[in-house]
Amino acid sequence: MDKLKRRDFLKLIGAGGVGTGAGMLFGESTKMNVELLMPQVVPPEDYTPGIATWYNTVCGQCSAGCGISVRTREGRAKKIEGNPVHPVNQGRLCAMGQAGLNGLYNPDRIRHPLKRIGERGSGEYQEIGWDEAIAEFGGQLRNLRGADKGNQVHLLSGAGSGHLNDLFAQFIEGIGSDNYLHYDFTYPINLHTANKLSFDEDLLPYYDIKNTDYLLSFGADYLGSWLSPVHHSLSYGQMRQGRGDRRGKCVQIESRMSLSGASADEWIVANPGTEGLVALAMAHVIVNGDSYSGDDRADWIAATESYNPSAVADRTGVAESVIIRLAEEFVVNRPSLAIGGGTLAASTNAVSGLIAINALNYLAGNLNIEGGVLFNPAPTFSAGTNQRYASYSRMLQFVDSMKNGEVEVLMVHDCNALFTLPVAAGFADATKQVPLIASLSSFMDETTAMADLILPTDTCLESWGDAVPEPGVGLPIASIAQPVVSPVFNTRSAGDIILQLAHQIGAELTVALPWTLYEDFLKDTWKDIYQDRAFAGVASDFEAFWSAALQSGVWGEVPARSTQVKEGLGRSILEHLDGSEPSFSGDTKEYPFALQPYLTQTFGDGRGANLPWMQELPDPMTSIVYQTWVELNPKTAAEMGIREGDVLAVTSTQGTLEAPAFIFPAIKPDVIAIPIGQGHTHYGRYAEKRGVNPLQIVAPEVDELSGALAWSASRVRIAKTGARISLVKTSGREIEGVPRTLGRQILSDRSGHG
């Protein structure tokens, strides 16, 4: 008590409350110098102490575009829930969305602008002010522009939905460059390519799971990680239990059981990457039966002649009788719906396989009908698809540009390409040839750690923005993201940074981008669209419309939907029908196992690894937390003498990684699977030096039609290292062959003996 006077003690309990609060404050005061805590006598105007305020905005944890409602008190965000009026998630929210608070208040956020003072990649930076950062970076951009070298400025962004994308494009164009790319590992470029070739549609369609009677998924983990899992989970519940006695059937075809496979009525094992051949064999059955009578039937019979079920069965591992039965069920139980993703969408034949799935929907009459494939209308308030997503092949071209000295300045925004690209791409070495790298990021991830100048950005809970969900929900909608709290640290929104750089550069850029705040740019852009579309009767004026949109967090229209199917779709699909088989890197004898990396609900492509709530969330299929593991079949494990927890060396043609074994019965014996997301060398205390990154040993195979990385096209070998660790999981551990008893050993067999 010598360090604390009675008067000071009363001040402390006045700030913290009597009882537990006082005890905590007293304990702290005896360990360090006393800091007087005082409640706010005059609170800010925008809140009342003790009263919770809810703000509607947009979740930025992934690209699905879910609407969220954030509860705030005393200027701090306390809880995130789904926005009940948002069509994408309808009040629900995934765990990563809930963990947005972990990002906002993360102790490892970049808090001030930083300038590199040591060797690139050394992590040695000094804090600088915003004025200095903008002046220095803007000055270099101005010099390049003035020397007609603006085209040597490149912008690589991982996110840019809505009008932030438009602002980036205008900024780069104003500098005199056309080098603006998006790279997002989770972007479904193969699905986009397949649908463009099949339907001549730039937008992904709406897969109407809610109203279908027969859902056939070729590897798409729609409940876990495929496209918009929260929306699909809602649709799945409606399909199964929300229509009275009408209950849809779910069939999953894949090589490793996903969450969707575990929830299906029937799970069918197929060889990796051959799911498209199963679809073609089903198409063969359909057109050779009585269920399809289109004018192009003869063409379809000829096109699918070589894919009869008996010929395809050995190549796919799916029995002939099963293929025939699935085809019959698919056309009888209409409306039916076939979707594709997972390993198939990450193979060297991904686009051709997804086109085969489109063919199934065409032949069964599932296009543009309720319960089938509905084509989305054009976005309401944003170009949406005018984003310049780069395939892996395009990224390799960009790497070559860096190596050849054609990139003077690289601006990186919210893109961790160094983590999600395989080592074989050479991205890390190429960045060493770039004189200036500037990163607009909230965290020190692997790519940001290579930057010379770091301009820290607000999180989605601190900044303005808008978004058009991809895929859509069958009607044109757009969401507004508004700040729910003031910036926690000395950060700025990406939009504000770009506008301030534009003013620093000056000249025509100031005329093209006269705004100083992104909020004003966003509001004026929405105002122009509002006036152009002449929304009569929507609101009395734009201010009323804007206020209503902010309150609801989303705006949408319900136009009359055409049920017509474009003419010539069958011909278009036939022209691109190609039953190519998957290829793999590595000789089968030397590398006997197919490597299947997979996305998880917890980490996505690794962006969720810095959130402690996600690290503590058990994987739904294995219950493992904190770690990376190698899944293998019990038969394989028995043959190689591998037990759970044995550390395995997994070797591909590109390198070796080590991780503990997990015996997983729902995987093919010649396949091993490793979750993506761990293995960060940077990215904060919760992510660093935890697990391994399987993408680092992926071979640089591509799908020739899309140029996308085929990250499920590598073969590997495995070997015991001799080390052994205990997997951390909520389902307990295996002891002498008795699994998952949580260490209690109180279970008994049917005879009653322990």
Side-chain angles (χ1 to χ4, degrees):
M1 289 291 290
D2 293 339
K3 296 182 180 181
L4 188 66
K5 297 179 180 179
R6 181 176 181 276
R7 181 177 57 186
D8 294 328
F9 178 73
L10 292 175
K11 289 180 181 179
L12 286 171
I13 65 173
V18 181
T20 304
M24 179 273 292
L25 289 169
F26 175 75
E28 291 297 318
S29 70
T30 60
K31 292 187 295 183
M32 60 188 72
N33 293 331
V34 175
E35 293 183 7
L36 183 61
L37 303 179
M38 291 293 291
Q40 289 179 309
V41 178
V42 181
E45 295 180 357
D46 58 346
Y47 71 80
T48 303
I51 302 298
T53 303
W54 291 85
Y55 293 95
N56 288 326
T57 185
V58 182
C59 180
Q61 298 295 87
C62 77
S63 59
C66 292
I68 56 175
S69 297
V70 185
R71 183 171 68 90
T72 67
R73 277 188 60 177
E74 285 77 49
R76 293 179 64 86
K78 299 291 187 180
K79 187 71 171 69
I80 302 176
E81 296 289 356
N83 182 352
V85 301
H86 202 287
V88 171
N89 54 318
Q90 301 165 39
R92 279 70 169 183
L93 197 62
C94 71
M96 191 176 290
Q98 296 270 359
L101 295 176
N102 285 174
L104 175 64
Y105 296 117
N106 196 298
D108 298 317
R109 280 184 62 184
I110 304 171
R111 305 185 179 199
H112 308 275
L114 300 175
K115 182 178 180 179
R116 179 174 62 84
I117 56 175
E119 294 293 325
R120 179 171 286 175
S122 66
E124 297 180 27
Y125 291 91
Q126 68 177 11
E127 292 182 8
I128 60 175
W130 272 106
D131 290 342
E132 179 183 349
I134 295 295
E136 179 174 331
F137 188 34
Q140 296 199 45
L141 295 177
R142 181 176 61 249
N143 293 337
L144 287 172
R145 184 181 183 279
D148 292 329
K149 294 182 179 180
N151 206 44
Q152 295 184 7
V153 179
H154 292 241
L155 173 57
L156 181 63
S157 177
S161 177
H163 290 104
L164 182 60
N165 168 63
D166 299 338
L167 179 61
F168 282 156
Q170 291 180 56
F171 177 76
I172 285 294
E173 183 180 352
I175 293 176
S177 173
D178 59 359
N179 297 311
Y180 170 35
L181 293 177
H182 285 264
Y183 178 73
D184 183 345
F185 179 80
T186 64
Y187 182 72
I189 190 169
N190 286 324
L191 188 58
H192 272 277
T193 304
N195 286 342
K196 180 65 175 177
L197 295 174
S198 301
F199 308 133
D200 193 27
E201 289 278 338
D202 291 318
L203 295 171
L204 287 181
Y206 177 58
Y207 298 99
D208 192 10
I209 295 174
K210 176 175 65 176
N211 294 306
T212 196
D213 283 343
Y214 193 91
L215 178 61
L216 179 58
S217 171
F218 294 87
D221 186 13
Y222 52 92
L223 297 180
S225 58
W226 186 70
L227 300 182
S228 186
V230 175
H231 185 79
H232 296 324
S233 296
L234 285 165
S235 298
Y236 171 82
Q238 178 71 17
M239 176 191 66
R240 303 285 272 179
Q241 297 180 341
R243 301 180 296 174
D245 294 335
R246 182 182 166 199
R247 179 180 172 88
K249 180 178 180 179
C250 300
V251 178
Q252 188 83 5
I253 303 175
E254 55 194 0
S255 55
R256 177 250 175 208
M257 180 178 282
S258 62
L259 180 61
S260 301
S263 304
D265 296 286
E266 187 174 0
W267 183 67
I268 298 172
V269 183
N271 294 328
T274 65
E275 295 90 342
L277 296 178
V278 176
L280 285 176
M282 290 176 61
H284 173 92
V285 174
I286 292 172
V287 298
N288 283 278
D290 299 328
S291 56
Y292 184 72
S293 57
D295 295 338
D296 54 357
R297 183 185 178 205
D299 295 330
W300 279 99
I301 290 176
T304 60
E305 182 180 2
S306 58
Y307 303 106
N308 64 78
S310 60
V312 167
D314 289 339
R315 295 148 67 185
T316 64
V318 181
E320 176 184 0
S321 59
V322 173
I323 295 175
I324 295 173
R325 175 176 58 81
L326 291 177
E328 293 173 347
E329 290 178 354
F330 192 71
V331 294
V332 169
N333 297 286
R334 294 187 67 243
S336 54
L337 175 62
I339 58 177
T343 302
L344 170 62
S347 300
T348 56
N349 62 336
V351 174
S352 62
L354 294 168
I355 291 175
I357 294 170
N358 288 339
L360 269 186
N361 285 316
Y362 170 77
L363 295 172
N366 296 333
L367 300 183
N368 233 16
I369 68 167
E370 188 177 84
V373 179
L374 300 175
F375 297 111
N376 272 305
T380 303
F381 285 104
S382 175
T385 57
N386 290 338
Q387 301 173 30
R388 310 178 189 188
Y389 279 101
S391 65
Y392 178 71
S393 296
R394 179 65 184 88
M395 287 297 291
L396 292 182
Q397 295 175 13
F398 174 55
V399 168
D400 288 339
S401 296
M402 290 192 287
K403 290 180 178 178
N404 296 332
E406 299 169 4
V407 181
E408 190 73 20
V409 174
L410 171 59
M411 296 176 61
V412 182
H413 167 250
D414 197 22
C415 177
N416 194 6
L418 202 151
F419 181 80
T420 55
L421 286 170
V423 172
F427 187 87
D429 290 336
T431 58
K432 298 176 182 178
Q433 307 302 317
V434 180
L436 176 62
I437 300 176
S439 176
L440 281 66
S441 177
S442 298
F443 292 93
M444 187 70 74
D445 57 30
E446 285 78 4
T447 306
T448 298
M450 299 296 290
D452 305 291
L453 188 63
I454 300 176
L455 307 177
T457 54
D458 298 337
T459 67
C460 63
L461 299 180
E462 301 166 299
S463 57
W464 289 92
D466 60 355
V468 175
E470 173 73 9
V473 293
L475 62 144
I477 66 170
S479 308
I480 300 180
Q482 61 179 318
V484 302
V485 294
S486 299
V488 177
F489 303 115
N490 186 22
T491 60
R492 296 182 181 179
S493 74
D496 285 347
I497 294 171
I498 293 297
L499 289 172
Q500 289 156 16
L501 287 172
H503 281 261
Q504 185 68 35
I505 295 170
E508 292 87 351
L509 261 180
T510 306
V511 177
L513 300 172
W515 305 272
T516 57
L517 295 176
Y518 182 63
E519 175 188 356
D520 297 332
F521 168 85
L522 187 68
K523 187 174 180 179
D524 285 349
T525 306
W526 274 63
K527 185 175 183 179
D528 290 341
I529 298 172
Y530 172 86
Q531 293 172 342
D532 290 343
R533 295 179 66 89
F535 288 133
V538 170
S540 58
D541 55 27
F542 173 72
E543 290 299 330
F545 167 80
W546 178 254
S547 178
L550 283 179
Q551 289 181 39
S552 63
V554 64
W555 177 258
E557 296 177 281
V558 187
R561 184 178 63 83
S562 172
T563 58
Q564 298 297 316
V565 178
K566 289 182 181 179
E567 293 186 5
L569 279 188
R571 174 59 54 191
S572 177
I573 297 173
L574 276 169
E575 287 177 357
H576 297 99
L577 206 63
D578 175 19
S580 59
E581 297 194 34
S583 60
F584 294 85
S585 174
D587 180 73
T588 305
K589 293 182 179 179
E590 184 176 358
Y591 302 99
F593 301 98
L595 173 63
Q596 186 174 329
Y598 65 92
L599 296 170
T600 67
Q601 294 171 290
T602 48
F603 304 132
D605 59 356
R607 69 188 67 182
N610 68 330
L611 308 174
W613 288 356
M614 304 312 295
Q615 288 285 356
E616 295 174 352
L617 183 68
D619 177 77
M621 296 301 295
T622 65
S623 83
I624 298 175
V625 295
Y626 303 124
Q627 295 167 292
T628 301
W629 59 92
V630 180
E631 297 173 5
L632 66 160
N633 187 276
K635 179 181 178 181
T636 304
E639 291 174 350
M640 300 185 68
I642 296 173
R643 294 185 298 160
E644 180 181 296
D646 286 342
V647 177
L648 304 179
V650 182
T651 303
S652 74
T653 58
Q654 304 300 310
T656 300
L657 57 78
E658 294 183 0
F662 178 77
I663 313 304
F664 190 63
I667 190 171
K668 288 188 86 274
D670 58 350
V671 174
I672 69 165
I674 304 177
I676 297 170
Q678 300 275 34
H680 287 274
T681 57
H682 295 79
Y683 206 32
R685 70 193 71 183
Y686 305 113
E688 292 174 13
K689 301 177 182 179
R690 189 184 300 278
V692 295
N693 180 10
L695 298 178
Q696 297 301 293
I697 64 167
V698 164
E701 300 291 325
V702 299
D703 184 301
E704 297 297 334
L705 292 176
S706 67
L709 175 67
W711 40 274
S712 285
S714 302
R715 301 195 69 85
V716 297
R717 64 173 180 265
I718 57 176
K720 296 169 62 176
T721 64
R724 182 174 172 79
I725 64 174
S726 294
L727 290 170
V728 182
K729 55 181 183 174
T730 59
S731 58
R733 59 193 180 93
E734 186 174 291
I735 301 177
E736 297 180 355
V738 181
R740 299 169 180 82
T741 57
L742 301 177
R744 294 189 296 265
Q745 306 307 314
I746 59 175
L747 303 183
S748 61
D749 58 27
R750 291 187 177 183
S751 65
H753 301 290

